C-alpha cells in the first residue's frame, strides 16, 4: 500500500464521526420521490449534495429534468481512467409509519443485540448511505492529498424509487459530458456481512401478453362442448410447450448468446456457502424448479427463464359455470442473460405461438418491455483492480455474483454511454430497504468509504487503463 | 288408426282456439320462480293447473315443498302402461324488459313474416306451452271417449328455472305414489320445424376445481425465477396432459362404459341435414375441436369431453407484474355419456393430478357436482311406439337425437324412480327461450296436442307392455 493511501485510510478512520454527521444531514431531508408533496424536499437533497460535492472541489450543479433534478459533478484527478459514479438521493415512502420504532427522518445510531452499530432511518441503506461512501472517500483523498487519484464524475438521480423516466433522456442529452472510461453503480450489497461482492451479471427481461380468441362469444359447455374450441385449452397447450421436461425453454434460438459460466466463477459460486435448501425453504419450497443439472445459483443468476406471471380465462368466481370462454390470456416473461437478444426472443415466441393457434382462433400480442441482460467481462482491468481493492479492504476474496433481477441503470449505462458499469455496494440483506426501520451498518458505511478510497488508488496504478 | 283416435284428433282440431285460450290464461300468471316477489304467482299457477287437471277428471292437488309447490295428479285409464308426465310451470325473468315488443305476460298470436302463427309471451315455449300439449291431449281424450287410453300421472314442477332443489326430495318422499311404467318429459324440441325428435341421450357432468399451491407467498420473478416452482406452470402442464393430440381424454379408465353409437343411430344422424359448418360458423368457429374421426354431432351428443371452464393465477390486471404466484387454480369439467361413472372419473382425475404435483407443491380439490349421462335403450316398447306415433303425426320419421347438456330431471327419474324418461317436445331453436319475445309456434302447440293424443293411443295398443 502506498503511504498516500495509508494516510487516506487513517484520515477516514479518525473522521468517521464527521462522515456520519454529514450522512445524518442528508437522511434528514425527506426526499420521497413518488409523493408530489415532497418535491421540494427532493430539490433540497439535490442542492445539499451539489453543495457537498462543491465543498470538496467538484464542479457540481443541480440539473433540472421534467421530474426531480439530477446532480452532476466533475473533478479532475491524477492519471488513470475517468470514473463515473452513480447513486440516487430519493427514498421510498415510510408507510406503514406505525411500524417504525423511531422517526424515519431523524437518523440515529442504534446498537443491535449482536453489538453491531446501525444507522437507522429511511434511505440510510437505499441509497443515501451508499452514495455517501464514495462522496466521503473523495473528501478524504482531497483532504489528505489535495487531489483525487483519478478524474471523477458523479451523477446522482432523484427518481430511482419512482420509475426513473427522466434518467435515460438526461443521459442521452448529456452524452458527451458523461463520457468516462468506467462507471460505478453503488446500489447493491455485499455477499454477507464480511464478504465483499461485485455484481457482474444481471438478467434482462422480455414481457409478452397473449390473448387468444376462439368463439365469438362465451358458449354453453353442454351445447358446444366437444366440438367447439376452448381457448383455455389452446393457451395451456401453448404455455406447456414452452419448456421441455428438463426445464429448458423450447423456443428455437432461445439459447443463442447464452455463454457457459466461466469455470472460475462456477468454482467461486460453489464455495460461497450459499444454501439452496435454506433459500428455497424460506418460502416453503424444496425442489429447484429450473434447468436440470444447474445449481440453484446458476438457475437464478446465469440461466435464462420462462415464467407465466399471470393467466386468466373463463369463469373464475365462486362455484362453477359450465362455460366455454371466448377468450383467455396469459402474461409471460423471459429473464435473459449474457447476449440474448430481447427482440429476437420476442419474435421467436410470437412465431411459436402463431404456429400453435388453430385455424379458427386468433391471437393478439401485447408487448411489456424488453431489455437485455448484463454480463461484464471478468478480466477487464478496472474490474480486476476493483475486485482486488475490495479483497484487501475486507480481508477476504471479493465474490463476483449475479442478480436474477434487473438493475435498469446498468443496462442504460451500457446502451446510452457505452460503459460497463461495475456494481459495488455495501448493503446487507437485513437492511430492511423499502420497509420500516431501514438501517445501514456503521461497518458498511465505514468499510464502504475505505473501500472506495482503495479502489480509487487501485485504478490510478499504472495510469489510464 | 282407430276411429276413437280419429275422433280425438278431429276434436283437437276443432277446439284449438279454446286450447289456446287456456294456454293464454296460464301464461298470464307471472310465475317467475327465481324472484321471491313472484312466489304468490307461482302458487297461483300451480292452483290453476291443479284445477285444470281436476276439471278433466284427475285427482289433482297442489303439493307444498319448502319452495314453490308441485302439482300432482292421477287419472285412471284403459289397459296399458302407466305413464308419468313431467313439465314445469315456472318461467324465466323477463329482463331486459325493454327488448320485448309487447308485454311478456299478455300473450297474443302474432303472424311471422313467413306467415306462421306464433304465440308470443314468457313461458309460451318454456315450458307452459309444452306442458299444456299433454294436458290438452288428455282433455280431448276425455271429452271424446270419456276416459284416457292408459293410466296417467302428472307431476308439474315450479322450480326448474331456479335450481330445482326440492324436486328430488319430493320424488323421494313420494316414490310410491309416483310409481309408473314409463315417464315423459316435455321440455325439449323438435329436430326442425317439420321433423319430430326424441332425445334419448343426455350427457352427465363431473365438475372439479383444483387449487395448486407452490411457494408460501408470491415471489419476485427476478429474485426467484429459474429456481422457484411456478404453480401456473404446474397447472398448465397438468391441464395440457388431460387430452392427447387426437382430442381423447388421457385419464386411465375414462372411456370405460362409453358404448359406440348403434349403427342405426349413426346412419340417422348422417341424414339429419345437420350442417356442422353452419353450427360452428354461427359462433365464429370452423374447425371441430373434439376427438378426431368423430362427427360433430357425435362429439356433441355421444362422446364425453374434458373442458377447462375457468383458470386463474398470478397477476391478471392491466400492465405487467414480474411475480411468481403462490397459487393457481382451474375449474375443470367432464361431460359424461352412456355408463361412465362420475365418481370413478373424479377419482381418476384426482389420482392423475396428484401424480403430477411436484414434491414441494400441494393441491386442493373442490368437487362441483357429478351426474351420470342418460342413454335410453332404443328398442324399448314405449320408445318404439312413441317414435312411430310421432312419425305418423308429422309425416316424417322421428329422429332419435342427443343433447350435449344435461336435463337433470331425466337422470332423477332414472335414479329415484327407476324410470326411463322419454324426452318428447315440440319447441323450435328459434323460440327465444330465456330471452325477450319468447314464442311457441301454433303449429308446435297444435301438433304437440295431436302427437300426445296419438302416443296415448299407441301405448294402449297391446295393453300393458
Amino acid at each position: 500500500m502506498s503511504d498516500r493511501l495509508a494516510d487516506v485510510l487513517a484520515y477516514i478512520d479518525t473522521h468517521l464521526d464527521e462522515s456520519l454527521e454529514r450522512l445524518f444531514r442528508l437522511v434528514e431531508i425527506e426526499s420521497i420521490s413518488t409523493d408530489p408533496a415532497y418535491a421540494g424536499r427532493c430539490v433540497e437533497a439535490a442542492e445539499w449534495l451539489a453543495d457537498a460535492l462543491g465543498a470538496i472541489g467538484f464542479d457540481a450543479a443541480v440539473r433540472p429534468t421534467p421530474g426531480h433534478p439530477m446532480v452532476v459533478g466533475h473533478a479532475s484527478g491524477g492519471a488513470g481512467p475517468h470514473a463515473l459514479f452513480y447513486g440516487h438521493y430519493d427514498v421510498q415512502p415510510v408507510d406503514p409509519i406505525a411500524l417504525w420504532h423511531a422517526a424515519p427522518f431523524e437518523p440515529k445510531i442504534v446498537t443491535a443485540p449482536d453489538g453491531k452499530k446501525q444507522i437507522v432511518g429511511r434511505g440510510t441503506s437505499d441509497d443515501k448511505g451508499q452514495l455517501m461512501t464514495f462522496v466521503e472517500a473523495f473528501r478524504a483523498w482531497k483532504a489528505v492529498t489535495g487531489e483525487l487519484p483519478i478524474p471523477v464524475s458523479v451523477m446522482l438521480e432523484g427518481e430511482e424509487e419512482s420509475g426513473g423516466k427522466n434518467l435515460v433522456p438526461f443521459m442521452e442529452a448529456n452524452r458527451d459530458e458523461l463520457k468516462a472510461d468506467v462507471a460505478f453503480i453503488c446500489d447493491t450489497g455485499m455477499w454477507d456481512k464480511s464478504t465483499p461482492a461485485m455484481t457482474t451479471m444481471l438478467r434482462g427481461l422480455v414481457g409478452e401478453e397473449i390473448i387468444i380468441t376462439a368463439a365469438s362469444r362465451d358458449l354453453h359447455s353442454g351445447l358446444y362442448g366437444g366440438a367447439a374450441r376452448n381457448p383455455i385449452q389452446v393457451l395451456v397447450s401453448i404455455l406447456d410447450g414452452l419448456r421441455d421436461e428438463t426445464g429448458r425453454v423450447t423456443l428455437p434460438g432461445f439459447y443463442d448468446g447464452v455463454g457457459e459460466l466461466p469455470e472460475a466463477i462456477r468454482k467461486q459460486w460453489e464455495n460461497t456457502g450459499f444454501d439452496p435448501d435454506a433459500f428455497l425453504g424460506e418460502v416453503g419450497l424444496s425442489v429447484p424448479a429450473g434447468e436440470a443439472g444447474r445449481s440453484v445459483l446458476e438457475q437464478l443468476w446465469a440461466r435464462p427463464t420462462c415464467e407465466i406471471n399471470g393467466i386468466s380465462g373463463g369463469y373464475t368466481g365462486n362455484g362453477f359455470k359450465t362455460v366455454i370462454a371466448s377468450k383467455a390470456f396469459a402474461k409471460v416473461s423471459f429473464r435473459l442473460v449474457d447476449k440474448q437478444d430481447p427482440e429476437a426472443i420476442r419474435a421467436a415466441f410470437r412465431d411459436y405461438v402463431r404456429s400453435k393457434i388453430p385455424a379458427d382462433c386468433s391471437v393478439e400480442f401485447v408487448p411489456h418491455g424488453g431489455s437485455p441482460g448484463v454480463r461484464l467481462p471478468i478480466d477487464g482491468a478496472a474490474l480486476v483492480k476493483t475486485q482486488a481493492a475490495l479483497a484487501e479492504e475486507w480481508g477476504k476474496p471479493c465474490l463476483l455474483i449475479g442478480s436474477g433481477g434487473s438493475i435498469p441503470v446498468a443496462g442504460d449505462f451500457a446502451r446510452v454511454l457505452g460503459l460497463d458499469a461495475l456494481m459495488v455496494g455495501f448493503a446487507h440483506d437485513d437492511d430492511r430497504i423499502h420497509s420500516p426501520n431501514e438501517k445501514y451498518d456503521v461497518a458498511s458505511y465505514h468499510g464502504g468509504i475505505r473501500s472506495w478510497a482503495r479502489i480509487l488508488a487501485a485504478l490510478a496504478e499504472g495510469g489510464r487503463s
Side-chain angles (χ1 to χ4, degrees), chain A:
Chain A
M1 196 193 316
S2 73
D3 287 349
R4 291 193 342 150
L5 175 57
D7 291 347
V8 170
L9 294 176
Y11 179 92
I12 290 169
D13 296 346
T14 53
H15 292 78
L16 178 60
D17 284 349
E18 291 138 73
S19 295
L20 283 165
E21 280 303 319
R22 281 186 288 269
L23 172 57
F24 285 13
R25 294 297 82 75
L26 179 58
V27 171
E28 284 163 2
I29 305 171
E30 301 155 299
S31 49
I32 302 170
S33 58
T34 200
D35 186 341
Y38 294 86
R41 297 280 84 76
C42 290
V43 173
E44 197 181 319
E47 286 170 346
W48 188 93
L49 281 161
D51 289 349
L53 289 170
I56 51 178
F58 276 69
D59 177 11
V62 173
R63 305 278 288 269
T65 77
H68 303 305
M70 311 285 296
V71 177
V72 178
H74 307 284
S76 58
H82 180 175
L84 171 63
F85 286 77
Y86 167 91
H88 65 90
Y89 65 78
D90 63 320
V91 301
Q92 282 275 320
V94 296
D95 308 306
I97 186 73
L99 297 185
W100 286 81
H101 302 140
F105 294 107
E106 295 174 15
K108 48 183 64 66
I109 305 281
V110 166
T111 304
D114 63 0
K116 293 220 163 58
K117 304 268 186 204
Q118 302 175 343
I119 316 157
V120 178
R122 172 56 86 226
T124 50
S125 177
D126 184 20
D127 186 47
K128 287 172 173 174
Q130 301 241 62
L131 76 85
M132 283 296 282
T133 58
F134 58 73
V135 173
E136 291 297 311
F138 303 154
R139 180 190 306 275
W141 269 103
K142 292 285 273 195
V144 173
T145 71
E147 68 158 12
L148 296 178
I150 55 171
V152 166
S153 291
V154 171
M155 177 174 70
L156 305 174
E157 186 191 1
E159 299 186 329
E160 202 273 343
E161 305 290 6
S162 58
K165 283 205 192 71
N166 294 301
L167 176 66
V168 167
F170 183 85
M171 286 166 71
E172 282 169 345
N174 297 280
R175 209 185 296 259
D176 287 343
E177 180 185 347
L178 296 170
K179 223 173 237 171
D181 299 305
V182 61
F184 288 97
I185 294 173
C186 189
D187 198 17
T188 52
M190 294 173 61
W191 174 247
D192 59 31
K193 296 206 175 188
S194 62
T195 314
M198 296 174 68
T199 304
T200 63
M201 296 183 184
L202 294 172
R203 293 198 289 193
L205 185 73
V206 168
E208 280 277 292
E209 184 164 346
I210 58 173
I211 304 151
I212 294 175
T213 303
S216 52
R217 59 175 173 84
D218 286 359
L219 304 176
H220 188 288
S221 76
L223 302 183
Y224 287 88
R229 189 71 61 178
N230 185 327
I232 305 178
Q233 206 111 41
V234 175
L235 184 62
V236 302
S237 175
I238 287 172
L239 296 175
D240 188 35
L242 282 168
R243 298 186 359 149
D244 69 17
E245 63 282 0
T246 70
R248 276 176 73 88
V249 176
T250 56
L251 296 179
F254 184 76
Y255 290 94
D256 289 355
V258 180
E260 281 299 323
L261 208 54
E263 203 43 39
I265 297 282
R266 185 190 307 278
K267 281 239 171 65
Q268 213 184 62
W269 287 2
E270 279 166 11
N271 296 311
T272 54
F274 172 80
D275 180 349
D277 294 337
F279 174 78
L280 290 174
E282 193 263 322
V283 295
L285 296 173
S286 61
V287 187
E291 286 174 87
R294 305 279 179 182
S295 73
V296 167
L297 279 189
E298 216 180 336
Q299 290 177 353
L300 292 172
W301 292 346
R303 302 299 300 177
T305 68
C306 166
E307 294 288 355
I308 308 164
N309 304 101
I311 190 167
S312 183
Y315 180 70
T316 59
N318 286 330
F320 210 88
K321 192 171 167 184
T322 50
V323 67
I324 298 176
S326 165
K327 286 176 191 291
F329 72 86
K331 296 172 194 260
V332 176
S333 65
F334 301 90
R335 295 273 168 187
L336 309 185
V337 302
D338 209 1
K339 297 185 187 63
Q340 279 180 300
D341 175 350
E343 294 314 315
I345 283 168
R346 191 190 306 283
F349 174 70
R350 292 184 175 191
D351 285 349
Y352 161 75
V353 172
R354 285 195 194 97
S355 76
K356 303 262 279 181
I357 296 288
D360 54 358
C361 294
S362 64
V363 60
E364 185 191 341
F365 296 95
V366 181
H368 288 287
S371 60
V374 169
R375 190 175 285 188
L376 299 183
I378 59 170
D379 51 2
L383 185 144
V384 169
K385 288 175 178 177
T386 301
Q387 190 180 12
L390 286 164
E392 267 180 76
E393 171 57 29
W394 297 90
K396 288 180 82 168
C398 167
L399 297 180
L400 301 183
I401 63 175
S403 168
S406 54
I407 300 183
V409 65
D412 298 337
F413 273 122
R415 197 166 43 80
V416 181
L417 302 178
L419 280 178
D420 281 345
L422 306 187
M423 286 161 272
V424 176
F426 308 96
H428 293 157
D429 288 346
D430 65 357
D431 278 356
R432 296 185 288 272
I433 66 168
H434 296 207
S435 294
N437 306 306
E438 179 176 349
K439 62 88 180 166
Y440 198 47
D441 284 10
V442 171
S444 289
Y445 192 57
H446 187 185
I449 300 170
R450 288 176 54 99
S451 294
W452 288 120
R454 288 182 188 272
I455 290 167
L456 292 170
L459 292 172
E461 280 166 25
R464 197 173 177 86
S465 68

